[in-house]
Amino acid sequence: MSKPERADLESLSDLCTPWCLHVAVTLGIAEHIAAGHDRIEPLAAAAQCDARVLHCMLGHLVSKGVFEEPELGRFTLNDAARDLLNPAARIGLDLDGIGGRMAFAWGTLLTFVRTGASGYHEVFGRPFWEDLEAHPAVAASFDALIGAVGHGTPSAEFQISGGWDSVKTVVDVGGGTGGMLAEVLRAHLHVRGILVDVPRAVAQADEVFQSAGVADRATAVGRSFFDPLPGDADLYLLRGVLNNWPDREAAALLRNCARAAGTSGRVVILKSVGPDGEPRRLTVDMVLVGGRHRSISEFRDLARESGLEVTAAGKQSAYYVVECRVAASGGKS
Ligand SMILES: C[S@@+](CC[C@H](N)C(=O)[O-])C[C@H]1O[C@@H](n2cnc3c(N)ncnc32)[C@H](O)[C@@H]1O
């Protein structure tokens, strides 16, 4: 294996470029240029900002390969700048929406590293999930980011032990606006689905189910997943959810799934657990919510504490899939 090039600390620690990109997106600079406002004065007027500072900011981005300045004070789009017109890039970078929450959350990293708990409330006054409930426009951009516009159509390509034939009902716990459940139902035509998420997110599910052609097999329940879950389903799916919570809440959520699944159901975890020995990485969702991706050994301990035992675990296509069932001594009697 070739040795990586020596890291350049100065460019790695320079915050100028990421902030210029966020501000350019928030001001809609690429859109204004695409609409013909290519000279700095009309561009600044269209974006309602200071022309001299905007000129410096765009000059910096040009030096980094985003936008071109064919003559002093006139800007055009290059391929990188055109990427900023993509709705997914816009949602992730717009400081007025979830992009701003993610950007400013990095300022709380010191607290997270020192204490192991999210410092998000230090900047926004409340923990992340409560902050979303208090700010509907930010919440809408979060839903869009994790939905089809942002992260794309989720993959339902994963197998479960014994196959899908015996599964009649799936509950997607914390399934957002229903994109994953819709894909599961499209892939398994005999399955019915129940989405559980906060009322705001499930309010959009009907449209998602209709456009996927699965509305006749899907329902949605707007409630906290810490409250009792719909019972007696064959499979409780947690995709990209358990990693959002510290151990205490993650165990409570697993216990809740175990209670609903009883002895006949199973709990399937995606995007939250990986094999032992996998390199550790920091991601922005950890900083936002103080959650963690767990190794399978760590997860086995958490599952045991929650009345579940891991019955299968392994990498399949896009996912590391973990299946659990109520342990002989735990869950619903
Ligand atoms: C990272 S998203 C994952 C969404 C979806 N499972 C996916 O894979 O795209 C986490 C989800 O948990 C939901 N959530 C957070 N707290 C919740 C709660 N107390 N009750 C129900 N849903 C909750 C959020 O609304 C969000 O949809």
Side-chain angles (χ1 to χ4, degrees):
M1 204 199 277
S2 64
K3 220 172 150 193
E5 269 177 43
R6 185 188 167 122
D8 172 5
L9 294 183
E10 202 175 319
S11 64
L12 285 177
S13 59
D14 183 6
L15 298 178
C16 183
T17 308
W19 278 108
C20 290
L21 282 170
H22 280 81
V23 170
V25 164
T26 307
L27 294 172
I29 297 300
E31 284 85 348
H32 290 308
I33 293 175
H37 304 292
D38 61 350
R39 296 202 172 268
I40 195 65
E41 292 291 346
L43 181 58
Q48 298 183 338
C49 57
D50 184 275
R52 273 180 301 182
V53 182
L54 179 65
H55 197 160
C56 296
M57 186 187 86
L58 290 179
H60 175 77
L61 287 174
V62 167
S63 77
K64 298 292 179 185
V66 187
F67 299 103
E68 283 172 3
E69 190 176 11
E71 59 189 278
L72 192 65
R74 186 167 76 82
F75 294 92
T76 57
L77 300 179
N78 57 7
D79 286 345
R82 263 185 291 276
D83 284 347
L84 300 179
L85 297 167
N86 176 335
R90 159 152 284 286
I91 297 170
L93 294 172
D94 185 347
L95 291 169
D96 290 333
I98 189 65
R101 291 318 203 251
M102 295 192 291
F104 285 100
W106 284 113
T108 68
L109 180 61
L110 183 60
T111 296
F112 186 33
V113 175
R114 277 195 172 137
T115 66
S118 166
Y120 184 88
H121 59 282
E122 291 169 359
V123 176
F124 293 106
R126 305 175 169 88
F128 178 71
W129 300 113
E130 290 173 30
D131 180 44
L132 288 192
E133 291 306 313
H135 296 92
V138 177
S141 75
F142 169 77
D143 293 340
L145 181 70
I146 63 165
V149 178
H151 289 174
T153 303
S155 166
E157 253 183 65
F158 64 96
Q159 271 310 320
I160 49 173
S161 36
W164 280 86
D165 287 354
S166 64
V167 175
K168 292 189 189 63
T169 311
V170 171
V171 178
D172 192 355
V173 182
T177 56
M180 178 62 175
L181 185 59
E183 289 308 300
V184 168
L185 299 188
R186 266 162 37 88
H188 306 287
L189 298 179
H190 64 286
V191 174
R192 306 188 73 81
I194 306 171
L195 171 71
V196 177
D197 206 292
V198 295
R200 176 203 80 242
V202 305
Q204 301 165 60
D206 193 42
E207 203 180 317
V208 174
F209 295 150
Q210 293 286 356
S211 65
V214 300
D216 56 333
R217 291 184 287 129
T219 53
V221 181
R223 85 165 62 130
S224 170
F225 50 41
F226 294 113
D227 291 337
L229 294 167
D232 297 324
D234 304 297
L235 194 155
Y236 291 78
L237 181 63
L238 289 161
R239 177 189 185 265
V241 170
L242 216 57
N243 56 308
N244 294 159
W245 297 93
D247 286 348
R248 193 166 63 95
E249 289 84 355
L253 181 52
L254 284 175
R255 259 195 303 278
N256 213 15
C257 292
R259 222 173 280 128
T263 48
S264 56
R266 70 181 104 187
V267 182
V268 173
I269 321 288
L270 305 178
K271 290 180 77 174
S272 294
V273 179
D276 287 336
E278 200 177 42
R280 305 266 159 151
R281 297 284 183 266
L282 181 69
T283 53
V284 70
D285 47 320
M286 294 166 69
V287 183
L288 292 172
V289 294
R292 50 192 290 239
H293 197 85
R294 295 174 174 87
S295 71
I296 185 64
S297 293
E298 291 169 330
F299 179 76
R300 272 183 213 283
D301 292 343
L302 191 71
R304 200 173 304 118
E305 230 183 87
S306 318
L308 289 165
E309 65 185 348
V310 174
T311 53
K315 178 92 178 116
Q316 295 177 34
S317 53
Y319 298 115
Y320 187 82
V321 183
V322 182
E323 288 181 50
C324 320
R325 286 188 180 271
V326 167
S329 55
K332 196 170 72 172
S333 53

